[in-house]
Amino acid sequence: MFKLNLKIAWRNLWKNKVYAAINIGGLALGLTAFVLMLLYINYEESYDTWTPDLENVYQIRERHDFFTPDNKEHWQDTQDSRIANLLRNKIPNTIAATRVQPDWDFIKGFSVKIANANPIVVSKMKDADSSFFQVFHYDFIQGDEQTALKNVRSVVLKESLAKKLFGTDKVLGKVIKVVMWRDDVGQDLTITGVVAEPKTPQTVKFNALMRTGEEDALPNNASNFHYCQVYAKFNTTDTAQLNSNLQRVYLEHKKLSFSQRKINFKEYYKDGKRPGLKAVSIANVHANPPFQTSWVEKLKPIVGISVFLLVISIINFVNLATAQSVQRAKEVGVKKVLGSYKAQLISQFLIESALQSVSALFLSIVLVEVVLPLFNAHFNVQLSFWHNAQLLTTLSELVGLFIIVTLLAGYYPAWILSNYNPVSVLKGNYENGLRGIALRNVLVVFQFVISVTFIIAIGVMHLQTKFISNKDLGFQRGQLINIKSNYDAKLAERLRTIPGVQYVGTSTQVMGNVFNVSESGYYKNTKLNFNSVTVSMDALPALGVQVVKGRIFSGAYKQDTINSIVINETAAKSFGKQVIGENYYLKRDDKNLVFQIVGVIKDYHNEGFDKVVLPTIYKVTNLGGTSNTNNLLVRFNTDNIAATIDKINVEWKKLYPNYPLEYETMDDAFSNVMDNNNRFINMVMLFSIISVSLSLLGLFALSTFVAKRRTKEIAVRKVLGASNIQIVNLLNKSFLLLVLAANIISWPIAYILIKKWLEGFAYRIDMAVVPFIIATLTSIVIAVLTVSIQARKAAVTNPVNALKYE
């Protein structure tokens, strides 16, 4: 029976190959988007699962309120290095604890030099203490985890880096010179191990793991701190109890530290702030990053879009299957008269659905392989369908997806077809039934609700992007580069002598590399909270900021390096209308420091448009630029920037031959800030095009069946004198009403969704009406054109051909 049903299913698909192709192609598009999301979700969920030994590994997080993007309290993954010893000595369940250098945003990598070869910058080179491999288990190709970091000035390489540097992974005992910053003399590290790349991605990702001794040493003075990441392995999985113990021990440690530093604990935390320490399971670290939106939150709208596309594909399938039911009615009637059971008929039609589903699934896998390189570049991941550690999981999910799609797309049509009354069918009465028509109408409306919502979203997103792109940043990003280096007077003077270089300066607040430091000061006995930025004398001119009142720092005023400050417009609102010449007070080490406001500059954006510009105070460093910013701003006054940068590189090599020059243009920094938003918009645009295309495919096929079903009606109307235009309008009318209904439903849905998206921007447009109107007109025009193509073909057909057998 199964073989017979399979043959019948194949013959029916081949007989209606155009509509089968539309069905399979539409379903394949929806499945492709969904399979890509499955791959991505499986990839993200696979973080830190390469070994079961990680089950009891935790990242330690401390509550901080400084150096945070918004100057508010956050759980940070960096803390005082003393915390590692606190765990070892005070928490009985601790098996091992290790200190690891964080991934600082301002450090792109370290310079690595081998013998007489040119230095290259290697990213993800981490410094750690000797306990790292007691916490994290890796497969050693050479060396072993017990002795790899036993000695100071040792390094363990990933297999890929070893081959890149030496052409082989047989590198034990070889020496590499690592230069960590531009004027670092460097240190020779002996390679003591080579580890294989884990099969799944890692939170603590490294290309080389060093033990320089920096992470072993603790600050001698209680007032000094060395910040690092702390990871620990515990012999417990009771996170709640563990965190309770951690908080108790940490509170005691904090009070002792404050006592040694002569700080009143109760006074310091009187404003509702409180110290905190907690352990986060390594399995949950990647999904809960500090200061950033988790991948789960980022992916929610994309998953929603993918589900919608799959639903549209299934709707097309159901629409076409139920539309074809008229042609299959007599077949079902005859089979029932000959004794076929309802279950046999359902199984036959489900086999037809399964045949189409499996074809669509295979086609979608081919499409996935084609678009995967673009998808990887878009999301900055390295996904593979066949070569990944979760292949069995992915295949099992696809089998489940195949079953769900087959049942969703096939069961209802199968149930409808198998329920035909053979007597009514053989009399030809079923064609007047309204049940199938009503369902198809509802599904068409649902399809166009999704499509119109997408079109509206594209319109609003385009306007928001245009608004952001054209918005005044408050500084001139053109002809400006940021060299990844701290300010050095000797280098700055050399650069200023290069033709085409206008300004050289440094600042702790530059787009792409920002250090926000909260500061509490006083104005007329009123306590005010500001963001404090350290700049050199030429930093503000180099940025090209706009002066609103007064002036900016200048070498003509000696007091500028001592007690002058410049504030931005947001900060000026706290001082009142007349701010120039007013005094601002700071309390430091029992001293009252007095600063005079000499200028107000326009707010400038350095962290994108999803965050408001903080009220900010700018101060010049004592010696014109000694702050540790890792920003060296160079403003050009020439169009031949490439040649000028080459000259800068020559001067750089004279001073720092072992550390390559690294820089970023402010245009690139702006593009990076906008990157996530642009990626999301591009994906919505792509999925919108697919959504509209699927809807049109369904509408095209459905209008064809409607035209066929009404062939005799059209013929009679033509005989009675109806014109071609009247017949086209007749067939368009029913679909036009459905599209209008879809627009009415989609408007409030689109408004709610887009309003929520816009709320993610601190600076945004008002909700525009134009995209809603354009979406409505576009959907109506597209629907009318699509239906009219089939309606015209039916209208121009000779009525004699339809009526000659009556």
Side-chain angles (χ1 to χ4, degrees), residues 762-779:
Y763 304 91
R764 55 184 178 266
I765 60 171
D766 295 325
M767 185 67 76
V769 178
V770 175
F772 290 80
I773 296 173
I774 291 175
T776 299
L777 294 176
T778 302
S779 62

Side-chain angles (χ1 to χ4, degrees), residues 547-680:
V547 180
V548 178
K549 293 179 182 178
R551 63 177 178 83
I552 54 178
F553 302 116
S554 170
Y557 301 90
K558 292 184 178 180
Q559 69 269 25
D560 281 1
T561 60
I562 302 172
N563 66 345
S564 295
I565 60 171
V566 172
I567 62 177
N568 66 359
E569 286 180 299
T570 301
K573 294 174 183 177
S574 302
F575 290 95
K577 292 183 178 180
Q578 180 56 43
V579 296
I580 304 301
E582 292 292 319
N583 290 332
Y584 167 74
Y585 301 90
L586 277 180
K587 291 183 178 179
R588 294 275 176 85
D589 299 326
D590 298 326
K591 295 180 182 179
N592 288 325
L593 305 178
V594 182
F595 294 89
Q596 187 181 62
I597 301 172
V598 298
V600 179
I601 63 172
K602 189 170 184 177
D603 291 342
Y604 71 84
H605 299 267
N606 55 80
E607 292 187 271
F609 297 95
D610 56 336
K611 302 181 182 71
V612 296
V613 175
L614 298 171
T616 305
I617 288 177
Y618 302 86
K619 304 188 192 78
V620 174
T621 53
N622 293 333
L623 299 177
T626 59
S627 59
N628 187 25
T629 65
N630 211 45
N631 295 316
L632 187 61
L633 298 169
V634 180
R635 163 75 61 184
F636 303 106
N637 57 5
T638 177
D639 292 330
N640 194 3
I641 295 175
T644 308
I645 292 176
D646 287 340
K647 293 175 183 177
I648 290 174
N649 198 26
V650 170
E651 295 298 328
W652 177 276
K653 285 184 177 179
K654 289 178 183 177
L655 293 174
Y656 318 115
N658 292 327
Y659 200 93
L661 175 71
E662 288 186 285
Y663 68 90
E664 180 181 44
T665 68
M666 282 298 102
D667 284 329
D668 287 342
F670 178 73
S671 298
N672 291 337
V673 168
M674 297 292 293
D675 194 40
N676 284 337
N677 182 55
N678 289 336
R679 284 180 179 180
F680 180 70

Side-chain angles (χ1 to χ4, degrees), residues 480-492:
L480 179 65
I481 67 170
N482 182 20
I483 297 174
K484 302 302 179 183
S485 170
N486 290 328
Y487 188 92
D488 176 59
K490 187 177 180 180
L491 174 63

Side-chain angles (χ1 to χ4, degrees), residues 424-454:
S424 298
V425 164
L426 295 177
K427 285 182 177 181
N429 292 334
Y430 181 78
E431 291 189 19
N432 296 323
L434 297 176
R435 184 170 49 178
I437 296 173
L439 172 71
R440 291 195 293 276
N441 289 345
V442 169
L443 295 180
V444 167
V445 170
F446 186 75
Q447 273 186 314
F448 270 88
V449 165
I450 296 173
S451 297
V452 172
T453 301
F454 277 147

Side-chain angles (χ1 to χ4, degrees), residues 9 19 22 94 101 219 236 253 502 572 575 737:
Y19 304 106
I22 290 174
T94 305
Q101 184 184 55
T236 178
H253 163 77
Q502 185 178 11
F575 290 95
L737 291 174

